[in-house]
């Protein structure tokens, strides 16, 4: 309520703050007040200006380093909704194929903008979308691992139930959810890594279950992303069991998007800052969050449920948040498990994008 009051102070009498997953015309001309030119040196986007991104180093560096690591701009293509007046094949009319400001301007000419899709070329198209996350604190690590596993199969269901992103750049999409836009906007993989499937997207579904539950079978952890053996063995030597070591090894194998010199030259092992450079920049539908080493505020083991989309009203957002909390209480009380092969959870995340899923 405090934030809404602050927002209202800066608005005209006929303006009202509402929560949307994305602004429907974001990326088109005259969609912001004041308006700024696109093709800035930070994003190099032909649709949005650098001013749309906060000037905090974390966000500027993340966008820059994603582009640097993949050796090209991000390529986000959302299927266009086809009605009786949609030209077919559809070619996004907002794309300028004649730009020559940066070397990256060649990308749409080389196929980055797919036919019959809405094309976007910068990280803010994904990270600028809004979601509804619920963080749950468990009594201990065992309960946190149980919650993590039991919430994973529910992530696509809640994505479908809350889907609220049918428009991009003023065009109606043939999908209702934002998730794959975030996947594309945060994908720092090279073309070789994508072709060889050695890494899953940095933003995406979960890759493994982690609870030592007797009902968990080996066939449930069937994700194809490889587990780096050397990292896993170091984690096991440090005291982790096999399931936890596999989980964190897949996080630690990634290149950090942000890394400060002091983290390497004089790492402070009493903080989790270096660890968060890896953990905090790997975004999964459900996140397992250990407490910090210096736990002066008595922060416990937590689980973040991240797949839901934000709703237009506070009432709806409160309802979904409370529902997730009550659901976890019931899951723990009745010891309910929803184990299924984790590859099928990934398929369900794709299904959740469909209209009226």
């Amino acid at each position: 309520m405090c934030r809404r009051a602050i927002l209202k102070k800066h608005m005209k009498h006929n303006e009202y703050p509402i929560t949307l997953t994305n602004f429907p015309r974001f990326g088109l001309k005259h969609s912001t007040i004041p308006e700024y030119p696109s093709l800035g040196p930070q994003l190099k986007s032909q649709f949005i200006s650098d001013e749309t991104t906060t000037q905090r180093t974390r966000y500027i560096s993340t966008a820059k380093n994603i582009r640097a690591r993949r050796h090209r701009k991000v390529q986000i293509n959302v299927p266009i909704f086809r009605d009786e007046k949609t030209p077919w094949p559809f070619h996004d009319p907002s794309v300028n194929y004649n730009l020559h400001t940066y070397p990256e301007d060649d990308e749409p000419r080389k196929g980055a903008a797919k036919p019959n899709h809405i094309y976007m070329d910068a990280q803010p198209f994904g990270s600028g979308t809004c979601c509804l996350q619920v963080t749950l604190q468990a009594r201990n690590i065992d309960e946190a691992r149980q919650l993590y596993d039991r919430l994973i199969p529910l992530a696509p269901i809640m994505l479908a139930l809350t889907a609220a992103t049918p428009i991009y750049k003023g065009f109606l999409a043939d999908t209702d959810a934002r998730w794959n836009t975030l996947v594309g906007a945060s994908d720092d993989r090279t073309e070789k890594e994508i072709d060889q499937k050695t890494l899953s997207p940095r933003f995406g579904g979960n890759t493994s279950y982690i609870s030592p539950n007797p009902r968990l079978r080996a066939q449930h952890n069937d994700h194809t992303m490889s587990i780096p053996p050397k990292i896993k063995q170091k984690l096991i030597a440090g005291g982790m069991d096999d399931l936890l070591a596999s989980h964190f090894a897949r996080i630690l194998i990634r290149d950090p998007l942000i890394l400060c010199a002091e983290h390497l030259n004089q790492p402070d092992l009493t903080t989790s800052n270096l660890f968060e450079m890896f953990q905090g920049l790997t975004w999964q539908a459900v996140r397992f969050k250990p407490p910090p080493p210096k736990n002066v505020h008595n922060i416990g083991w937590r689980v973040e449920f991240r797949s839901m989309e934000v709703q237009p009203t506070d009432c709806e957002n409160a309802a979904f948040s409370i529902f997730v909390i009550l659901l976890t209480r019931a899951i723990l009380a009745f010891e309910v498990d929803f184990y299924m092969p984790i590859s099928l959870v990934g398929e369900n995340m794709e299904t959740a994008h469909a209209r009226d899923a």
Side-chain angles (χ1 to χ4, degrees), residues 266-283:
Q266 294 179 324
D268 184 358
L269 300 182
T270 64
T271 74
S272 57
N273 291 341
L274 183 56
F275 169 71
E276 287 299 332
M277 294 297 101
F278 294 87
Q279 161 94 341
L281 292 169
T282 302
W283 302 277

Side-chain angles (χ1 to χ4, degrees), residues 145 232 234-249 252 275:
R145 293 172 73 171
K232 180 178 176 179
K234 285 187 177 181
L235 295 173
I236 291 175
M240 287 189 185
D241 58 44
D242 187 85
L243 289 170
L244 267 188
S246 296
H247 168 77
F248 283 112
L252 295 173
F275 169 71

